[in-house]
């Protein structure tokens, strides 16, 4: 049996949790309850439980502090947080400490039961057959929805209902097919990815739970675009469908207790008579979802507002070239100015659609990537991360910031790497000169030693040191000769030869030109 400690400052909540769940049937045993954080810590130490379910706010020691200290006592302890407050920062801190999941008050039996079953699976216990079947079915739904989205993007027909049953195990018998896309948005989602993924998983569970009230013939999956759903109905009950999705939207937005600015958009594709046409419905739902970047509305329906799926934004070749050059030259300032100019031009278009924004985003990303790759390897996951972050954006300004920050960050990284690549051979050249300055050293000797063409090396050396090769070598030799001239044992002739000059007159003339005095006078002055 898995041991559980329950902690909440309200006795009625603890009582509700004890009665809400048949703990023994699920393989759990409640070994202790606590009304404050300090008592909960004592129980963790005494009972060594597998799971602690705690309120986010507790007297004596609040939920976050309790989690931190309990982790120190028992590193493998798992946590479920209960929240009845709109405490975004509290929840984010809890997630940082590895909280397994969270529950919102009022507690729901089905949600708590699902979490406990998932946790039991994670702890390596024998999973309930029901959970195994659920996981298998959910995986099939993910594969099915990925295939449908792929068909929509490629504008290919989707398989028939008979093929879908054979390949994915879905038995669709209705005469009305359509795609719905439920899109929860929170600001700066990329900064809270762990929390965002938990929120999306909760949202998916809400979607599946509520859709079962409407029909059993559906598939749903959480994808980067949002929660994509295919529904199959005998007919289209408009009122019931809207009520169902309105409830889904409101239930998802209740998660504001953790994500204070969550906003949910529901986008419906048009209704089709066969599964083969469902790709068109998916295409429309995706178009409407992109369009929330320009028009924030909670409900979008392709039957009411026909998406302009064939209308695209194409950047002119000259503008693309300017972006490519800015990226290729690793000129962050120029890139930013080009982006601002292009943004002003695009935003003047009327009407501006989300599809146009995505086209603009992809074209700038594509040509900038090509330009940057001329200077080095762009981070492998960069394009994929940018694509995912596009769907985390909630406005057109977010798209601008994503391009600005994402590409400038890569430009700065590549510029730094290029600088290091260029500085390294100069460092090696300086070392070589230090070791061989006493010889008849030529530019060609040094450039060959560091593996560069003499002409390119000469320009690079001047850029990095501020001096041409011969001036640098002369300065080094004269400085060395100053040190040697202070010695009683060496004559001016000896010093000249030791620093690489065989012609004494030439050395004397060069020394005086550089220092203002002859070598012999210098020796007298500084001996």
């Amino acid at each position: 049996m898995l041991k559980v400690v329950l902690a909440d400052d309200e006795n009625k909540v603890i009582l509700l949790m004890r009665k809400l769940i048949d703990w023994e049937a699920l393989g759990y045993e409640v070994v202790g309850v606590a009304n404050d954080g300090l008592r909960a810590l004592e129980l963790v130490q005494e009972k060594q439980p597998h799971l602690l379910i705690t309120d986010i706010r507790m007297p004596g020691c609040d939920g976050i502090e309790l989690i931190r200290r309990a982790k120190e006592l028992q590193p493998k302890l798992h946590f479920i947080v209960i929240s009845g407050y709109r405490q975004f920062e509290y929840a984010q801190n809890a997630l940082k400490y590895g909280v397994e999941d969270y529950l919102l008050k009022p507690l729901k039996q089905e949600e708590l039961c699902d979490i406990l079953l998932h946790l039991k699976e994670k702890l390596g216990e024998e999973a309930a057959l029901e959970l195994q079947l659920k996981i298998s079915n959910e995986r099939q739904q993910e594969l099915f929805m990925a295939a449908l989205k792929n068909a929509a993007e490629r504008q290919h027909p989707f398989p028939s209902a008979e093929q879908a049953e054979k390949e994915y195990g879905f038995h669709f018998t209705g005469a009305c097919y359509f795609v719905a896309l439920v899109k929860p948005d929170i600001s700066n989602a990329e900064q809270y990815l762990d929390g965002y993924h938990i929120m999306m998983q909760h949202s998916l569970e809400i979607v599946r739970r509520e859709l079962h009230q409407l029909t059993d013939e559906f598939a749903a999956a959480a994808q980067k675009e949002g929660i994509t759903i295919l529904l199959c109905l005998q007919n289209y009950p408009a009122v019931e469908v809207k009520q169902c999705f309105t409830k889904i939207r409101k239930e998802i937005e209740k998660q504001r207790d953790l994500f204070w600015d969550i906003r949910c958009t529901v986008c419906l594709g048009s209704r089709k008579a066969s599964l083969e046409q469902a790709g068109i419905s998916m295409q429309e739902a995706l178009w409407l979802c992109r369009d929330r970047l320009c028009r924030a509305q909670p409900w979008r329906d392709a039957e009411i507002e026909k998406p302009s799926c064939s209308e695209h934004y194409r950047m002119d070749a000259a503008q693309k070239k300017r972006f490519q050059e800015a990226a290729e030259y690793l000129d962050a300032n120029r890139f930013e100015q080009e982006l601002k100019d292009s943004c002003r031009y695009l935003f003047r278009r009327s009407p501006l659609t989300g599809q146009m924004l995505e086209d603009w985003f992809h074209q700038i990303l594509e040509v900038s990537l090509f330009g940057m790759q001329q200077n080095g390897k762009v981070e492998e996951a960069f394009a994929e991360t940018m694509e995912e972050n596009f769907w985390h954006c909630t406005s057109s300004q977010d798209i601008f910031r994503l391009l600005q920050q994402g590409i400038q960050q890569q430009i700065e990284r590549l510029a730094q790497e290029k600088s290091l690549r260029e500085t390294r051979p100069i460092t090696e050249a300086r070392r070589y000169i230090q070791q061989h300055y006493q010889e008849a050293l030529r530019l060609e000797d040094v450039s060959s030693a560091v593996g560069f063409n003499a002409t390119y090396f000469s320009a690079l050396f001047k850029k990095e040191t501020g001096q041409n090769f011969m001036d640098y070598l002369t300065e080094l030799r004269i400085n060395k000769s100053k040190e040697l001239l202070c010695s009683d044992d060496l004559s001016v002739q000896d010093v000249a030869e030791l620093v690489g000059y065989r012609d004494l007159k030439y050395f004397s003339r060069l020394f005086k030109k550089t220092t203002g005095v002859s070598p012999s006078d210098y020796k007298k002055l500084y001996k």
Side-chain angles (χ1 to χ4, degrees):
M1 300 286 277
L2 300 174
K3 294 184 287 185
V4 185
V5 167
L6 308 176
D8 197 290
D9 60 343
E10 295 181 69
N11 279 322
K12 63 181 182 182
V13 176
I14 290 177
L15 238 117
L16 177 63
M17 281 194 284
R18 297 201 74 155
K19 291 184 177 180
L20 206 57
I21 299 295
D22 186 345
W23 296 93
E24 190 175 342
L26 292 178
Y28 289 83
E29 177 190 4
V30 178
V31 294
V33 299
N35 294 119
D36 64 78
L38 294 176
R39 176 58 185 150
L41 278 173
E42 290 174 2
L43 287 170
V44 168
Q45 197 160 19
E46 291 170 15
K47 305 293 185 180
Q48 292 291 296
H50 298 89
L51 172 66
L52 172 62
I53 302 179
T54 178
D55 192 359
I56 206 164
R57 282 195 164 181
M58 295 279 287
C61 173
D62 74 18
I64 305 300
E65 182 67 6
L66 170 59
I67 291 165
R68 187 186 66 77
R69 291 171 65 179
K71 271 279 189 185
E72 292 174 358
L73 291 172
Q74 193 178 333
K76 293 185 178 180
L77 181 61
H78 291 260
F79 303 89
I80 296 172
V81 165
I82 302 170
S83 171
Y85 300 89
R86 296 180 181 273
Q87 293 292 334
F88 180 76
E89 290 181 3
Y90 267 78
Q92 287 299 329
N93 286 333
L95 292 170
K96 286 177 187 174
Y97 284 110
V99 168
E100 190 68 28
D101 220 318
Y102 66 87
L103 290 165
L104 299 179
K105 294 179 181 178
L107 300 179
K108 293 183 178 66
Q109 182 184 36
E110 185 180 351
E111 288 180 356
L112 180 53
C113 197
D114 278 351
I115 292 170
L116 291 170
L117 283 170
H118 276 290
L119 180 58
K120 185 176 178 182
E121 169 77 2
K122 188 171 182 177
L123 291 171
E125 295 289 318
E126 182 179 358
L129 177 61
E130 180 183 350
L131 179 59
Q132 289 295 337
L133 291 171
K134 181 181 176 184
I135 291 171
S136 175
N137 178 259
E138 288 175 1
R139 179 58 182 154
Q140 287 300 101
Q141 290 185 52
E142 287 174 9
L143 294 171
F144 179 82
M145 294 310 298
L148 179 56
K149 189 181 72 162
N150 187 53
E153 289 172 344
R154 295 174 180 271
Q155 298 185 1
H156 291 169
F158 199 64
S160 65
E162 292 77 16
Q163 289 172 300
E165 182 174 7
K166 184 178 179 181
E167 192 168 345
Y168 300 100
F170 294 114
H171 183 59
F172 295 122
T173 59
C176 175
Y177 296 85
F178 68 98
V179 167
L181 202 160
V182 175
K183 177 60 176 171
D185 280 314
I186 60 172
S187 296
N188 302 317
E190 67 280 0
Q191 295 179 24
Y192 307 105
L193 284 181
D194 289 343
Y196 179 81
H197 291 146
I198 290 177
M199 181 273 290
M200 285 295 290
Q201 191 57 42
H202 269 256
S203 299
L204 179 58
E205 289 165 5
I206 290 167
V207 165
R208 285 176 172 152
R209 183 177 69 239
E210 296 303 327
L211 283 180
H212 276 301
Q213 308 301 313
L214 187 66
T215 178
D216 287 330
E217 295 189 35
F218 71 86
Q223 298 176 314
K224 68 175 183 288
E225 298 84 357
I227 298 163
T228 53
I229 308 153
L230 174 77
L231 290 101
C232 176
L233 304 169
Q234 287 300 333
N235 49 55
Y236 184 76
V239 174
E240 288 88 340
V241 169
K242 188 153 189 178
Q243 285 176 343
C244 177
F245 279 100
T246 299
K247 187 176 181 184
I248 286 170
R249 180 174 59 79
K250 289 181 177 177
E251 286 291 314
I252 289 172
E253 288 181 346
K254 280 183 183 177
Q255 294 179 101
R256 286 182 177 138
D257 289 341
L258 289 175
F259 303 97
W260 56 268
D261 66 343
I262 192 169
R263 184 184 78 203
C264 188
T265 306
V266 176
C267 304
L268 268 58
S270 59
R271 273 55 93 187
K272 303 298 177 186
S274 68
L275 184 59
E276 290 95 326
Q277 297 176 296
I280 299 171
S281 186
M282 170 69 87
Q283 191 180 10
E284 293 168 340
L286 286 167
W287 190 97
L288 291 170
C289 187
R290 293 183 190 98
D291 205 51
R292 81 195 190 289
L293 297 168
C294 302
R295 280 162 286 281
Q297 299 170 14
W299 178 264
R300 307 289 297 270
D301 188 343
E303 294 281 353
I304 299 170
E305 46 177 329
K306 192 67 178 173
S308 307
C309 295
S310 60
E311 187 177 335
H312 291 275
Y313 173 78
R314 289 178 177 82
M315 191 180 294
D316 66 72
Q319 196 176 28
K320 284 185 178 180
K321 182 69 174 174
R322 291 196 297 272
F323 273 112
Q324 181 185 320
E325 287 177 349
E328 186 173 343
Y329 300 151
L330 302 180
D331 190 335
N333 292 331
R334 181 178 169 186
F335 173 81
E336 183 176 11
Q337 189 57 54
E338 289 293 342
L339 188 63
K340 286 178 179 177
D341 293 344
S342 181
C343 185
R344 278 193 294 268
Y345 174 77
L346 176 70
F347 285 12
R348 283 200 297 265
R349 293 188 65 125
S350 183
L352 177 64
T353 67
Q355 180 64 64
M356 291 178 185
L357 275 172
E358 186 184 45
D359 294 338
W360 178 73
F361 169 83
H362 279 142
Q363 287 169 76
I364 291 174
L365 181 61
E366 182 183 1
V367 296
S368 299
L369 271 172
F370 181 82
M372 290 187 293
Q373 284 165 349
Q374 309 312 303
N375 279 288
K377 189 175 181 182
V378 178
E379 289 175 357
E380 196 171 328
F382 174 68
E384 186 180 340
T385 301
M386 288 288 284
E387 173 68 27
E388 187 170 334
N389 285 341
F390 172 88
W391 288 97
H392 289 157
C393 293
T394 60
S395 69
S396 55
Q397 288 301 323
D398 282 353
I399 305 296
F400 172 83
R401 282 190 291 271
L402 174 60
L403 283 168
Q404 181 187 42
Q405 294 169 9
I407 293 177
Q408 282 191 329
Q409 187 178 44
Q410 288 297 309
I411 285 176
E412 287 166 6
R413 182 186 64 80
L414 287 167
Q416 188 177 22
E417 288 178 1
K418 184 181 180 184
S419 177
L420 287 172
R421 285 198 304 272
E422 292 178 348
T423 304
R424 192 176 298 114
I426 301 305
T427 303
E428 292 173 5
R430 282 171 163 166
R431 187 182 302 115
Y432 185 86
I433 294 168
Q434 287 278 352
Q435 293 168 349
H436 299 272
Y437 72 91
Q438 297 164 309
E439 303 168 13
L441 201 57
R442 300 175 307 153
L443 173 69
E444 289 75 14
D445 300 325
V446 181
S447 61
S448 176
V450 295
F452 277 90
N453 167 275
T455 305
Y456 175 72
F457 172 75
S458 178
L460 187 60
F461 192 88
K462 177 73 180 288
K463 177 186 172 186
E464 292 298 322
T465 66
Q467 295 175 291
N468 62 40
F469 167 74
M470 189 51 67
D471 287 344
Y472 180 87
L473 179 60
T474 300
E475 183 181 309
L476 174 65
R477 284 172 166 173
I478 296 300
N479 286 336
K480 292 288 184 183
S481 68
K482 287 178 184 178
E483 296 173 17
L484 296 171
L485 285 167
C486 294
S487 169
D488 289 331
D489 302 328
L490 297 172
S491 67
V492 173
Q493 177 73 49
D494 293 334
V495 169
E497 291 178 0
L498 283 172
V499 297
Y501 295 110
R502 303 293 175 261
D503 186 333
L504 179 59
K505 288 183 179 179
Y506 177 72
F507 168 68
S508 298
R509 189 166 62 250
L510 194 60
F511 189 94
K512 186 171 184 179
K513 180 183 176 184
T514 305
T515 65
V517 295
S518 67
S520 54
D521 288 342
Y522 186 91
K523 187 173 178 65
K524 292 173 187 175
L525 285 169
Y526 294 98
K527 204 167 84 169

